[in-house]
Amino acid sequence: MLEQVIVFAIVLSFLITVILSPIFIPFLRRLKFGQSIREEGPKSHQKKSGTPTMGGIMILLSIVVTTVWMTQKFATLSVETYLLLFVTIGYGLLGFLDDFIKVVMKRNLGLTSKQKFIGQLIIALVFYIVYQRSGFSTALHIPGTDLSINLGFGYVLLLIFMLVGGSNAVNLTDGLDGLLAGTAAIAFGAYAVLAWNQGQYDISIFCVSVVGAVLGFLVFNAHPAKVFMGDTGSLALGGAIATVAILTKLELLLVIIGGVFVIETLSVIIQVISFKTTGKRVFRMSPLHHHYELLGWSEWRVVVTFWAVGLLFAMLGIYIEVWI
């Protein structure tokens, strides 16, 4: 029965996104909620200017509706479910504000880095307060072993780092048509398997709801994209994947399952450090996906390659936790 619930949740969230998109995309276009393309980016991206953004709203609606309905019907609306929805919606609203400032108020940079960080930090702290008062463990599990380390109060630092860092890492990955939608579907799919293996069916339902929602979005976001998810979607997905890792007590495994997000972030860090210390760039452009574009790879080739790498990371993460 539960296996059928998982399949139905994927199908339902997929259909919600697919049905909403043909209605929502023209609406965004009429409102002139078009993406601004930075001039220093690859020249091939300039033709994407004006493509409707903030499509992450459809993803969020699909995730929330599917998760709440399916969990109420077949499982329990647990504290974990409420925490997952809180972080996902919270980071989604923060991303929506950033997108709104960029698109409607015509401030290309949106929220400042400080404003965005404060918003991310507040959501992370509220999450920790509820998490701590609900009696969740502050132990850090070592993947592939029976070992764990109790971090005590230090766990709050890890939690904040994961939520803030995870949302930013996923946000950096959202740079090519279909790149984030595909890699997110793979990462959440892996955590759905692991949550199911632990008997955390409410978290598994949430994860497959995300998988269905982003795959439905991918129908319209694959190259050439008809809509972008914007920070509304990318920040929400980043916060959500970090929260899933925390609630399944597989925090360290996120580095592997979310390997593509980690690599993209490291490429930016390396580029900035190298340029500031030596005046030279390691990559032609960061994040890393742009480097391969400037090497002459087609956008679709870069995206499919990153999907494949993401799939390998996800399989490795499942193997370490389940079979080692």
Side-chain angles (χ1 to χ4, degrees):
M1 178 61 180
L2 281 170
E3 291 85 350
Q4 295 173 341
V5 171
I6 294 298
V7 173
F8 188 69
I10 295 176
V11 173
L12 177 62
S13 58
F14 176 86
L15 289 176
I16 290 174
T17 311
V18 168
I19 292 169
L20 283 177
S21 295
I23 301 169
F24 203 70
I25 293 172
F27 178 68
L28 290 173
R29 190 174 287 114
R30 284 196 298 273
L31 292 177
K32 301 188 185 301
F33 283 7
Q35 179 73 39
S36 297
I37 305 298
R38 55 177 182 160
E39 294 182 2
E40 64 271 22
K43 300 301 181 186
S44 60
H45 286 211
Q46 294 305 315
K47 61 186 178 183
K48 298 182 182 183
S49 182
T51 300
T53 188
M54 298 168 74
I57 296 172
M58 296 178 290
I59 296 175
L60 285 174
L61 285 172
S62 179
I63 292 171
V64 172
V65 170
T66 303
T67 299
V68 172
W69 191 68
M70 295 298 294
T71 306
Q72 276 186 326
K73 196 169 182 64
F74 300 104
T76 304
L77 271 174
S78 60
V79 175
E80 289 92 337
T81 306
Y82 285 116
L83 285 171
L84 283 165
L85 293 175
F86 167 73
V87 173
T88 304
I89 295 170
Y91 277 88
L93 289 174
L94 185 64
F96 176 83
L97 181 59
D98 190 42
D99 287 333
F100 187 84
I101 292 172
K102 289 177 187 175
V103 175
V104 179
M105 300 179 68
K106 307 302 181 184
R107 277 171 45 191
N108 195 41
L109 294 177
L111 292 171
T112 65
S113 298
K114 183 177 180 180
Q115 290 170 333
K116 190 180 290 187
F117 175 74
I118 290 173
Q120 292 170 313
L121 184 60
I122 290 172
I123 295 168
L125 286 173
V126 172
F127 171 81
Y128 175 74
I129 291 170
V130 178
Y131 180 90
Q132 191 266 337
R133 290 184 176 178
S134 299
F136 288 102
S137 171
T138 55
L140 180 65
H141 171 66
I142 309 301
T145 73
D146 294 325
L147 303 175
S148 61
I149 304 170
N150 196 333
L151 300 180
F153 184 74
Y155 193 80
V156 66
L157 300 178
L158 174 66
L159 188 148
I160 291 171
F161 175 77
M162 288 184 65
L163 287 171
V164 175
S167 59
N168 287 327
V170 171
N171 182 242
L172 288 172
T173 307
D174 186 27
L176 298 179
D177 297 354
L179 176 58
L180 178 53
T183 49
I186 292 167
F188 277 98
Y191 268 109
V193 171
L194 295 173
W196 178 275
N197 186 61
Q198 293 179 350
Q200 293 184 285
Y201 303 120
D202 48 350
I203 296 178
S204 190
I205 288 173
F206 173 84
C207 287
V208 296
S209 297
V210 176
V211 172
V214 294
L215 289 179
F217 185 77
L218 185 59
V219 172
F220 302 90
N221 182 240
H223 187 71
K226 297 177 179 64
V227 64
F228 300 135
M229 70 174 67
D231 285 5
T232 307
S234 60
L235 287 182
L237 292 174
I241 193 71
T243 306
V244 168
I246 292 165
L247 294 176
T248 54
K249 304 306 298 175
L250 299 173
E251 301 94 339
L252 293 179
L253 215 56
L254 182 59
V255 177
I256 297 173
I257 293 176
V260 170
F261 310 138
V262 174
I263 291 170
E264 291 272 49
T265 304
L266 287 176
S267 72
V268 174
I269 294 171
I270 292 169
Q271 187 86 323
V272 171
I273 292 175
S274 176
F275 188 73
K276 287 189 174 181
T277 55
T278 68
K280 297 180 180 179
R281 292 181 172 86
V282 176
F283 307 104
R284 294 197 176 189
M285 188 177 178
S286 65
L288 189 62
H289 53 260
H290 290 317
H291 171 76
Y292 287 104
E293 274 194 293
L294 294 178
L295 284 179
W297 288 28
S298 69
E299 184 168 349
W300 186 239
R301 180 186 176 188
V302 176
V303 169
V304 172
T305 301
F306 276 54
W307 285 354
V309 172
L311 182 59
L312 290 174
F313 276 130
M315 292 170 63
L316 176 61
I318 293 172
Y319 175 76
I320 290 172
E321 183 58 26
V322 176
W323 283 290
I324 288 184

